Amino acid sequence: MLKPAEHTITAKNLTKTFGDFTAVDAITFEVKKGEIFGFLGANGAGKTTAIKMLCGLSSPSSGEANIAGFDIYKQPEDIKKNIGYMSQHFSLYGDLTVEENIRFYAGIYGLKSTEIKERSVALIKELGLENYAKRFVAELPLGWKQKLAFSIAIIHNPKIVFLDEPTSGVDPITRRQFWGMIYSAAAKGITVFVTTHYLDEAEYCDRVSIMVDGEMRDLDTPTALRTKYNLPTMNDVFLHMAVRSKRSE
Amino acid sequence: MKQFLAFVRKEFYHIFRDKRTLMVLFGMPIAQLLLFGFAITTEVNNANIGIYNQSPGQFSNDLVQRMTGSDFFRLSANINSEAEMLEAFQTNKLKMVVVIPPKFEQNVTAGNAKIQLIADGSDPNLATILTSSAEAVIMTWMKERAGTNIQIETIDPQVRWHYNPELKSAEMFVPGVVTIILMLVSAMLTSISITREKELGTIEILYVSPLKPAVIIVGKVLPFAILSIINAILILLVAWLVFSVPVNGSVVLLLFEMLLFIMTSLGLGVLISTVADSQQTALMLSLFGLMMPTILLSGFIFPIANMPLPLQVISNIIPAKWFLIIIKNIMLKGIGMAYIWKETLILLGMTAFFIGVSVKKFKIRLQ
């Protein structure tokens, strides 16, 4: 049933309940290798809980899921080695330099020292941070920090990278560059699972799912969704669906 | 192992780059030690006293001279009326007044003389020390007089203070300061360092990474354990060099017990961080949940035997109480494991409990 070669994420009736409250209600979907998968939903729709289950931070109440070829219940340790994660919080250490942050994250993913050195040099060059390598990350502008955080989240070449609102608070130009980085990561075969509040970004995704009240209401390419609801932008599609939410914020 | 080392290196960066942490780590212990050593002393020197002599004569003058001739007291005022005495107390000029009543001269010869010591009770500790010192001086004076004239039968208690013959206050506070410092540095700094990652959101990245919870916990506490033991050695050195407080027992045993108590405190620190979500909360919990009981109920300042029964019972769950017994026994009495194994076992049990609970709670958070 599960074909890890084609699908890097498969979820079947994945559910999380907290007491009487069903945060995520039997979501079923598949994400293809190298796909950029948009995960939309209003605050409280269950996005974060769903991501936490997929990353192994939270165990599902019921349902099945296979991440990067590993079972979510039986092989959480293998999953962790094969995914990258960037949270909506800024996730680097401000009191460590650019180089030290890279070395730390590469280190906890068990990369060899020689690999760490090579990738560190390559990464700094790619981001044009040569003059900032020895500077504390706290001194960098927010946009640069976010780009650095993304590069570090995929430094161990994961099969999947989960991005939880990676561009919040970033200016439009940097957002554009950020999406450029997402595309090149996807081109290298890394599956990108991304949540966002900017609905213009939803247009950049290969496919988009919309969560309302813990359920996955729809899932398709942005073009197909716009056609289906006969609306001009993803923003309109999202509003059209989210308006029917029973959960108040 | 490499992952662990990468983690520990990061922790050291955090510690050495944060001035506040460094202050707490190295500035505070030395400051506390010097403060306790020089400011808070139970010895009395040159206390200002007054004499209200209502019966001037050979005996009373002799006695006054004897009193003011000692290092304890300095005669700073001759009082002539009760009102004057009250005023001197109110303006804080005098700490004690020796009242020699009328007819003292005749009564001394008759053998039923009285003398009154009036002390400022708003500082009870000082008042007690002053009056008992004064009593001692008077007793000596009386005995000397009796020796030349008549023979009075008295019992003369010879007091000796074992383990601290000179009653130096340094010997009392050094073990206490070591206890508090180890507790504070280990528990507070650990809990703050973990909750800081919660506030920053970096803890999520650690949870998602292949690092095991045990590696995260050990990686967090190891740097503080190392620095705490260095700290403890520093304190002992300062205590020895500045206040000449020696370690009479085995230094190795003492270091081993210190390490155990550091583990207890680190366990408490991790436990606090599993409850607290912000650095502020962690700080408050460490100060009021750990520091206050440690200072008040460990027997460091207030003797446990003098506490009301409920407090005595509560004091048993304070790890510092047991460590204080151990460290005092090793440092002052110079005795070995044979006499402190019970306390050591209790500390071991507490440590296992705290670490067990915090690892479990830490895992639950991951679910």
Side-chain angles (χ1 to χ4, degrees):
Chain A
M1 180 190 69
L2 301 174
K3 291 173 216 153
E6 288 168 43
H7 296 124
T8 43
I9 304 176
T10 52
K12 203 176 166 198
N13 293 324
L14 201 60
T15 302
K16 178 81 183 185
T17 52
F18 298 101
D20 292 338
F21 179 69
T22 307
V24 174
D25 194 358
I27 55 174
T28 300
F29 64 97
E30 289 166 342
V31 181
K32 282 177 231 135
K33 186 171 187 290
E35 190 175 23
I36 300 175
F37 188 85
F39 198 59
L40 307 188
N43 289 336
K47 276 181 304 173
T48 306
T49 312
I51 284 207
K52 281 192 170 163
M53 283 192 282
L54 298 174
C55 293
L57 282 184
S58 168
S59 56
S61 307
S62 64
E64 295 167 29
N66 187 294
I67 312 292
F70 300 105
D71 184 80
I72 202 167
Y73 296 102
K74 290 177 202 141
Q75 298 156 299
E77 298 310 318
D78 292 308
I79 291 178
K80 285 180 174 180
K81 280 179 210 149
N82 286 287
I83 61 170
Y85 176 71
M86 179 180 167
S87 77
Q88 51 193 332
H89 304 286
F90 169 65
S91 49
L92 301 176
Y93 295 96
D95 58 342
L96 265 56
T97 66
V98 172
E99 272 182 349
E100 285 163 355
N101 267 292
I102 298 173
R103 210 190 315 153
F104 169 66
Y105 281 111
I108 64 173
Y109 278 93
L111 267 62
K112 291 194 194 81
S113 327
T114 47
E115 272 179 310
I116 295 177
K117 262 188 210 118
E118 281 167 24
R119 290 194 201 179
S120 172
V121 171
L123 196 159
I124 287 170
K125 201 176 162 198
E126 208 178 289
L127 292 174
L129 285 173
E130 287 94 341
N131 296 327
Y132 288 86
K134 305 242 185 279
R135 296 273 280 276
F136 291 124
V137 162
E139 296 167 15
L140 298 184
L142 181 68
W144 292 24
K145 285 183 194 168
Q146 297 296 77
K147 283 191 273 181
L148 180 62
F150 177 71
S151 306
I152 287 178
I154 56 169
I155 195 155
H156 55 294
N157 283 329
K159 292 196 174 126
I160 308 163
V161 62
F162 291 90
L163 308 173
D164 194 1
E165 291 173 26
T167 52
S168 50
V170 174
D171 65 82
I173 296 166
T174 314
R175 278 211 282 143
R176 208 38 184 285
Q177 294 170 338
F178 196 92
W179 274 89
M181 295 173 71
I182 291 181
Y183 274 116
S184 64
K188 281 183 213 154
I190 298 176
T191 306
V192 180
F193 189 98
V194 57
T195 75
T196 179
H197 270 150
Y198 299 102
L199 288 154
D200 57 317
E201 289 184 351
E203 312 273 0
Y204 305 150
C205 299
D206 294 326
R207 282 192 307 155
V208 168
S209 69
I210 297 175
M211 291 270 292
V212 179
D213 294 344
E215 292 169 20
M216 194 173 271
R217 282 290 158 80
D218 218 329
L219 166 61
D220 216 326
T221 62
T223 318
L225 285 172
R226 284 197 311 263
T227 316
K228 181 175 172 188
Y229 293 97
N230 194 21
L231 290 164
T233 64
M234 273 310 292
N235 198 22
D236 297 313
V237 173
F238 181 74
L239 288 174
H240 172 73
M241 305 195 74
V243 144
R244 296 187 218 153
S245 166
K246 286 175 219 98
R247 283 180 201 167
S248 53
E249 278 184 28
Chain B
M1 194 61 199
K2 277 193 63 172
Q3 292 163 291
F4 177 68
L5 289 180
F7 194 90
V8 170
R9 180 166 52 205
K10 169 191 88 94
E11 291 305 314
F12 275 113
Y13 284 144
H14 289 322
I15 295 169
F16 287 118
R17 285 173 188 174
D18 185 41
K19 286 197 189 81
R20 280 183 308 171
T21 305
L22 281 181
M23 277 299 291
V24 173
L25 205 50
F26 293 109
M28 208 184 59
I30 300 301
Q32 275 218 13
L33 196 62
L34 296 179
L35 207 69
F36 272 99
F38 291 116
I40 305 170
T41 165
T42 50
E43 298 151 48
V44 173
N45 282 315
N46 289 325
N48 289 328
I49 64 164
I51 305 283
Y52 184 9
N53 193 347
Q54 303 173 31
S55 173
Q58 186 209 331
F59 295 137
S60 59
N61 287 346
D62 192 23
L63 179 59
V64 168
Q65 226 161 48
R66 173 58 70 86
M67 289 194 101
T68 51
S70 73
D71 285 340
F72 295 132
F73 308 114
R74 190 174 57 209
L75 178 61
S76 73
N78 278 308
I79 307 285
N80 296 310
S81 71
E82 214 160 302
E84 213 177 297
M85 178 177 80
L86 281 178
E87 203 208 319
F89 276 131
Q90 275 163 1
T91 52
N92 243 339
K93 270 188 216 144
L94 300 179
K95 285 292 165 197
M96 184 177 72
V97 170
V98 182
V99 183
I100 300 172
K103 294 186 188 159
F104 178 76
E105 295 290 316
Q106 296 97 297
N107 289 345
V108 168
T109 335
N112 59 358
K114 288 200 168 60
I115 203 162
Q116 193 178 25
L117 299 172
I118 302 178
D120 180 356
S122 62
D123 187 348
N125 278 336
L126 185 62
T128 316
I129 298 166
L130 288 179
T131 48
S132 53
S133 309
E135 275 174 54
V137 174
I138 296 167
M139 284 289 280
T140 323
W141 177 75
M142 255 170 50
K143 261 189 279 169
E144 282 175 15
R145 270 189 34 74
T148 55
N149 295 337
I150 30 165
Q151 201 68 36
I152 330 171
E153 284 190 23
T154 50
I155 295 172
D156 185 11
Q158 295 286 322
V159 181
R160 216 186 125 203
W161 297 79
H162 243 309
Y163 313 120
N164 184 4
E166 295 162 63
L167 260 193
K168 284 190 295 190
S169 35
E171 306 215 343
M172 284 166 49
F173 75 76
V174 167
V177 171
V178 173
T179 309
I180 288 178
I181 294 297
L182 291 185
M183 179 64 123
L184 187 71
V185 167
S186 313
M188 190 172 87
L189 292 181
T190 312
S191 62
I192 287 182
S193 134
I194 297 179
T195 45
R196 199 174 79 126
E197 299 229 18
K198 281 194 194 176
E199 273 182 19
L200 290 174
T202 45
I203 197 110
E204 280 184 25
I205 310 289
L206 300 181
Y207 288 161
V208 178
S209 78
L211 288 176
K212 296 204 166 51
V215 173
I216 298 179
I217 293 182
V218 176
K220 274 281 171 195
V221 303
L222 185 73
F224 289 114
I226 295 172
L227 293 171
S228 292
I229 202 84
I230 292 175
N231 226 329
I233 296 171
L234 268 177
I235 297 175
L236 290 181
L237 273 177
V238 173
W240 178 49
L241 296 173
V242 181
F243 300 107
S244 30
V245 177
V247 177
N248 290 325
S250 152
V251 177
V252 177
L253 178 64
L254 184 60
L255 286 178
F256 162 76
E257 295 283 356
M258 280 174 160
L259 201 62
L260 174 60
F261 186 61
I262 288 170
M263 297 305 285
T264 319
S265 310
L266 292 172
L268 275 169
V270 178
L271 198 58
I272 287 177
S273 71
T274 59
V275 184
D277 278 321
S278 70
Q279 296 183 66
Q280 200 83 41
T281 319
L283 182 72
M284 286 300 164
L285 275 175
S286 313
L287 285 180
F288 295 107
L290 293 182
M291 281 297 289
M292 295 281 280
T294 299
I295 293 179
L296 299 177
L297 295 176
S298 66
F300 167 37
I301 295 181
F302 307 109
I304 292 170
N306 292 355
M307 289 175 192
L309 192 64
L311 286 185
Q312 287 194 29
V313 173
I314 292 173
S315 77
N316 288 324
I317 60 164
I318 310 283
K321 170 190 168 169
W322 305 105
F323 180 67
L324 202 57
I325 296 175
I326 293 172
I327 186 173
K328 273 186 175 170
N329 277 336
I330 299 177
M331 283 187 71
L332 307 182
K333 297 193 186 173
I335 56 183
M337 200 53 162
Y339 295 92
I340 51 171
W341 62 269
K342 233 191 297 173
E343 287 79 8
T344 307
L345 266 186
I346 293 174
L347 269 189
L348 263 175
M350 285 180 163
T351 310
F353 176 76
F354 292 142
I355 291 181
V357 173
S358 31
V359 170
K360 212 173 157 206
K361 286 203 121 187
F362 211 80
K363 276 189 182 151
I364 287 171
R365 283 198 67 91
L366 294 181
Q367 294 301 303

